[in-house]
């Protein structure tokens, strides 16, 4: 394993290049950026939009948090159940059906940008959007690898356990067992296509496996 320090700009350029090199004729490219909330996976997904546009690839920005299961289901065991957070919160079926598989080879060629408001659990009433040729879906989320999402390229923003604990606000300390299980059971640093260590967000490190 080789760990190479890179600048945030180089990180964005490298991920964008990995996406852009996939032929447009092959259909949509579905990219998942995964990481603890403190790593801000949404920021990396946002930063990929412009370089992909320059490369001639239209993008769809989608967030896992807009495809959570109804509150009555995900909060059945209370608001602070770490096992439910890991196992029950993401509506994988809806995310695949309405976005990821929908723009895939056997899909309908259109996607739903959002499904439910994560706070109110009500429908966002979003309209379907036609998938343009060469579309790249940029999906961000936490605890989202190994869930069965229909994606083509995965990026994991990795932290050491001590960093996760330090960056988790006291009010969210109940989530720590979920992240510990995730690391032990899913092993995101082994299953992700791209792993970037971001214990120091100003100095990310690109991990290359032997």
């Amino acid at each position: 394993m080789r760990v190479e320090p890179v600048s945030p700009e180089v990180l964005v350029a490298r991920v964008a290049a990995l996406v852009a090199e996939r032929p447009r004729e092959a259909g949509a490219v579905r990219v998942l950026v995964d990481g603890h909330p403190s790593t801000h996976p949404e920021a990396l997904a946002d930063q990929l939009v412009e370089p992909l546009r320059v490369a001639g690839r239209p993008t769809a920005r989608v967030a896992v948090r807009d495809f959570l299961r109804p509150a009555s289901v995900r909060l059945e065991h209370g608001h602070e159940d770490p096992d439910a957070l890991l196992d029950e919160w993401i509506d994988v079926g809806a995310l695949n059906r309405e976005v990821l598989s929908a723009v895939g080879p056997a899909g309908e060629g259109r996607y739903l940008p959002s499904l439910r408001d994560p706070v109110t659990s009500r429908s966002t009433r979003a309209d379907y959007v036609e998938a343009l040729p060469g579309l790249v879906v940029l999906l961000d989320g936490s605890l989202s690898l190994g869930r069965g999402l229909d994606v083509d390229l995965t990026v994991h923003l990795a932290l050491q356990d001590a960093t996760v604990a330090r960056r988790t606000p006291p009010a969210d300390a109940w989530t720590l067992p979920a992240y510990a299980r995730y690391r032990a059971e899913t092993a995101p640093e082994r299953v992700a296509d791209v792993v970037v260590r971001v214990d120091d967000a100003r100095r990310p490190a690109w991990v290359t496996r032997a």
Side-chain angles (χ1 to χ4, degrees):
M1 180 184 297
R2 184 164 64 94
V3 179
E4 177 190 1
V6 295
S7 69
E9 294 76 17
V10 168
L11 167 60
V12 171
R14 284 193 182 182
V15 177
L18 287 175
V19 177
E21 71 184 11
R22 302 202 175 203
R24 296 169 59 93
E25 299 75 18
V29 181
R30 299 154 297 185
V31 181
L32 169 62
V33 182
D34 169 80
H36 184 269
S38 70
T39 68
H40 300 290
E42 73 283 357
L44 176 56
D46 288 343
Q47 290 162 4
L48 291 170
V49 171
E50 180 59 17
L52 289 172
R53 184 194 66 79
V54 171
R57 304 299 291 262
T59 59
R61 274 293 286 115
V62 182
V64 167
R65 70 190 301 271
D66 292 327
F67 287 84
L68 299 182
R69 301 176 77 186
S72 60
V73 176
R74 70 177 190 268
L75 303 179
E76 181 180 0
H77 301 291
H79 287 72
E80 299 184 354
D81 186 316
D83 292 324
L85 174 64
L86 180 60
D87 300 327
E88 304 292 342
W89 278 40
I90 301 175
D91 194 338
V92 173
L95 193 42
N96 282 339
R97 181 181 65 252
E98 303 293 357
V99 184
L100 301 172
S101 302
V103 302
E108 297 181 358
R110 63 176 192 167
Y111 65 92
L112 194 66
S114 62
L115 179 62
R116 297 185 187 93
D117 183 297
V119 176
T120 67
S121 197
R122 295 176 180 173
S123 170
T124 61
R125 302 184 182 276
D127 293 326
Y128 284 93
V129 179
E130 294 299 316
L132 297 174
L135 179 70
V136 176
V137 176
L138 297 170
L139 174 68
D140 72 271
S142 301
L143 301 172
S144 50
L145 291 171
R147 305 296 101 187
L149 294 174
D150 194 3
V151 293
D152 304 298
L153 180 69
T154 55
V155 180
H156 177 64
L157 304 177
L159 297 175
Q160 298 181 21
D161 291 341
T163 309
V164 171
R166 185 173 66 252
R167 290 189 184 176
T168 300
D172 294 331
W174 66 271
T175 68
L176 292 174
Y179 284 94
R181 271 191 60 206
Y182 185 56
R183 187 179 180 99
E185 298 175 9
T186 303
E189 291 188 46
R190 289 204 299 267
V191 302
D193 298 306
V194 175
V195 175
V196 184
R197 293 183 178 172
V198 289
D199 290 281
D200 184 342
R202 299 165 300 176
R203 298 176 178 83
W206 186 278
V207 178
T208 303
R209 301 183 185 91

